[in-house]
Amino acid sequence: MGLTRDYTVRESRRARHVRLQLSLREGLVIVVPKGFDQRLLPALLEQKQPWVERAWKRLQARGTSVQPQTTNALPHSLHLQAIGEEWTVEYKPAALPGVTVREKAARHLILSGKTSDRQACITALRRWLLRKAHQHLEPWLLQLAEEHGFEVRRVLVKSQRTRWGSCSAARTISLNLKLLFVSPNCARYALLHELCHTVELNHSTRFWALLEHHYPHCKTTARALRSSWREVPPVLDERQRRRRLR
């Protein structure tokens, strides 16, 4: 079966990740984000070939369309909306312990080492994202604190499972590195939300009035942020739940 050699590629401005679709009429269709480096597709298809063959047999038996879940696929692009960066990701097997990440020109990431170890690749990507979040989200938070007159004593960046951010009574703000994937408006809202908690450590009427003062129409952006988990590559967020701010 030559589906992985004979396929159709479609670019989508709305796509955030590579998606494989199968139908009896069109065969294999690969939907890629706008600007995705299509030279990376052969390696991806080699990895997904067993799934394609199994899905094609089920499709022929049922006479329906099949769209796979992509949670098991390692990302070949990372769209860091909050900081306006799009990175392509390449996986290079090498006789090295573990997996390392290198940044190349034109925002190209290369993961080298035991790239057949999916969890090692995920761990390496999270380490890289943690560095990016420290480089960008932490200074952004401190800049907003200075502009709006808030006092922050400490900033932490983590890979939190259920929160976009949190603030302690000691004015320590913890940010989720996954905020890199949300829109700039949603990221700014999340940062200001936590800064307001340095004054009002609750979600009282006073808190929302304070946030509205610093971020007009904040509740509209709050609703957008609640659905922004969809922007995070599933493989980097395997225990997806609704994110909340505290």
Side-chain angles (χ1 to χ4, degrees), residues 164-180:
W164 289 115
S166 61
C167 179
S168 74
R171 295 186 182 141
T172 293
I173 290 179
S174 298
L175 300 175
N176 193 329
L177 64 84
K178 300 180 185 78
L179 283 170
L180 290 168

Side-chain angles (χ1 to χ4, degrees), residues 17-232:
H17 322 292
V18 176
R19 186 171 71 251
L20 277 62
Q21 300 176 175
L22 277 173
S23 70
L24 291 174
R25 183 169 61 87
E26 296 184 292
L28 177 61
V29 176
I30 306 175
V31 181
V32 300
K34 190 71 174 177
F36 178 80
D37 185 354
Q38 296 186 21
R39 293 173 297 180
L40 301 174
L41 289 178
L44 173 62
L45 288 173
E46 182 179 356
Q47 176 187 355
K48 299 298 290 182
Q49 184 171 352
W51 177 88
V52 172
E53 292 176 350
R54 292 193 302 271
W56 182 248
K57 290 177 181 177
R58 293 197 307 270
L59 176 61
Q60 289 179 312
R62 295 199 306 255
T64 58
S65 297
V66 178
Q67 286 193 357
Q69 295 182 349
T70 58
T71 53
N72 289 326
L74 291 170
H76 287 265
S77 66
L78 295 172
H79 185 42
L80 308 183
Q81 291 188 78
I83 60 175
E85 294 184 4
E86 178 92 28
W87 290 78
T88 57
V89 186
E90 181 180 357
Y91 301 87
K92 284 190 172 182
L96 299 170
V99 176
T100 61
V101 181
R102 288 183 294 129
E103 294 184 10
K104 301 288 284 186
R107 290 180 179 162
H108 186 68
L109 285 185
I110 298 180
L111 272 68
S112 302
K114 193 177 179 182
T115 54
S116 60
D117 186 335
R118 177 175 173 274
Q119 190 55 51
C121 290
I122 294 171
T123 300
L125 285 171
R126 283 191 179 133
R127 284 199 307 266
W128 180 80
L129 287 166
L130 185 63
R131 292 197 299 270
K132 295 292 286 186
H134 274 295
Q135 291 169 7
H136 295 274
L137 296 181
E138 185 174 345
W140 191 0
L141 178 77
L142 295 176
Q143 179 186 350
L144 287 172
E146 183 176 355
E147 290 174 358
H148 293 265
F150 292 105
E151 180 184 349
V152 179
R153 300 210 175 142
R154 190 181 180 198
V155 182
L156 303 174
V157 181
K158 304 176 181 179
S159 181
Q160 295 158 302
R161 292 181 177 178
T162 60
R163 302 174 186 170
W164 289 115
S166 61
C167 179
S168 74
R171 295 186 182 141
T172 293
I173 290 179
S174 298
L175 300 175
N176 193 329
L177 64 84
K178 300 180 185 78
L179 283 170
L180 290 168
F181 293 97
V182 308
S183 72
N185 282 341
C186 284
R188 185 172 184 271
Y189 164 81
L191 301 183
L192 282 169
H193 185 116
E194 297 310 330
L195 287 170
C196 287
H197 277 315
T198 63
V199 177
E200 296 288 343
L201 197 63
N202 50 53
H203 285 122
S204 65
T205 302
R206 290 194 306 273
F207 167 82
W208 287 110
L210 179 64
L211 183 53
E212 183 79 25
H213 172 73
H214 291 284
Y215 194 113
H217 312 296
C218 59
K219 292 189 177 180
T220 299
T221 309
R223 287 193 293 271
L225 182 61
R226 281 196 289 271
S227 63
S228 290
W229 60 267
R230 302 174 189 274
E231 308 294 344
V232 181

